[in-house]
Amino acid sequence: MQQTTNSILMIRPINFRMNEQTAVNNYFQENVALQNAEINRKAQEEFDSYVFKLKSFGVEVLVISDTDTFDTPDAIFPNNWISFHTDGTVGLYPMFAENRRLERRDDILAKIEEKGFLIEQVVDYTAAEFEDFFLEGTGSLILDRVNKKAYCALSVRADEELFIEFCEDFEYTPVVFIANQTVKEKREPIYHTNVMMCVAETFAVICLETIDNKSERKNVLKHLKEDGKQVIEITALQMHNFAGNMLQVRGADDELFLVMSAAAHESLTQSQIAKINNHCKIISSSLETIEACGGGSARCMMAEVFLPKN
């Protein structure tokens, strides 16, 4: 079992803009004084240079274009509706925003199979949408695939019962907590776990100050430390620069890299960068428009493909 993969699925946007349906509880989104066509053009430029950078380090990026069939402004974030696993299982997830449910496409699975990956079975949780329960893939779930632990910050987009059901189906130990951010002087749940936490092979980056409950915070730390992870703590301000939204990937010759946005990289202290560099090199790319309008960053744009190959 590996924590990291060389193969990444990414969806190139064609109608990217601020999604009004997600903005109701994604406090990372910002209004940008640009027309939608200009926002989309900038997002495409950022996407293309990001993909180019990943490929230049030997990461296998499977790029599939979004379609004009539906209005899917957030299609650039595929990790919320799909996950891939080493036994050939694919997970499909229930999404909070109705227009995000339209991102799920059978042809994407077909295209992945055409690339030589084996899909043995699909575990589909999407019926929970009819009951208004949601669990948004590896946005809600931070998977320690080696130690079989799943970390989840509960929110409207991460239902506890669904999370437990996932853990039973995929045989993960659940680690549940609530992570908050301050919005207009009020503590509000963070919409996705993966903006405040990243678990890599030998370390974890986490914004501990978001976990207000001390026993929950201690429990998260206990699990990370007992699995030998060096804990690299970030501040709430760094988290708002997407310093928690990182993903470790493999490049050429199985070399490990931690991928993040330029904003995340620039927010880190020299000490934090040195700690990360003790484990792996950093790849960063400017995602300014995508971060502001989409409220997601480098990790959200990558769905890791762990499927076996023919």
Side-chain angles (χ1 to χ4, degrees), residues 73 270 290 293 301:
Q270 287 308 117
I290 293 165
C293 296
M301 295 168 68

CSV table of all heavy atoms in Angstrom, one decimal, residues 73 270 290 293 301:
chain,number,residue,atom,x,y,z
A,73,PRO,N,-19.2,25.1,-13.0
A,73,PRO,CA,-18.1,26.1,-12.8
A,73,PRO,C,-17.0,25.5,-12.0
A,73,PRO,O,-15.9,26.0,-12.0
A,73,PRO,CB,-18.8,27.2,-12.1
A,73,PRO,CG,-20.1,26.7,-11.5
A,73,PRO,CD,-20.5,25.6,-12.5
A,270,GLN,N,10.6,30.1,6.7
A,270,GLN,CA,11.8,29.4,6.3
A,270,GLN,C,11.9,28.1,7.1
A,270,GLN,O,12.3,27.0,6.6
A,270,GLN,CB,13.1,30.2,6.5
A,270,GLN,CG,13.2,31.3,5.5
A,270,GLN,CD,13.1,30.8,4.0
A,270,GLN,OE1,12.2,31.2,3.3
A,270,GLN,NE2,14.0,30.0,3.6
A,290,ILE,N,-8.0,30.9,-9.6
A,290,ILE,CA,-8.7,29.7,-9.2
A,290,ILE,C,-8.9,29.7,-7.7
A,290,ILE,O,-10.0,29.4,-7.2
A,290,ILE,CB,-7.9,28.4,-9.6
A,290,ILE,CG1,-7.8,28.3,-11.1
A,290,ILE,CG2,-8.5,27.2,-8.9
A,290,ILE,CD1,-6.8,27.3,-11.6
A,293,CYS,N,-11.7,32.7,-6.8
A,293,CYS,CA,-13.1,32.5,-7.3
A,293,CYS,C,-13.6,31.1,-6.9
A,293,CYS,O,-14.8,31.0,-6.6
A,293,CYS,CB,-13.1,32.6,-8.8
A,293,CYS,SG,-12.7,34.2,-9.4
A,301,MET,N,-7.5,20.3,-7.0
A,301,MET,CA,-7.5,20.1,-8.4
A,301,MET,C,-7.0,18.8,-8.9
A,301,MET,O,-7.0,18.4,-10.0
A,301,MET,CB,-6.6,21.2,-9.1
A,301,MET,CG,-7.2,22.6,-8.9
A,301,MET,SD,-6.0,23.9,-9.4
A,301,MET,CE,-5.9,23.7,-11.1
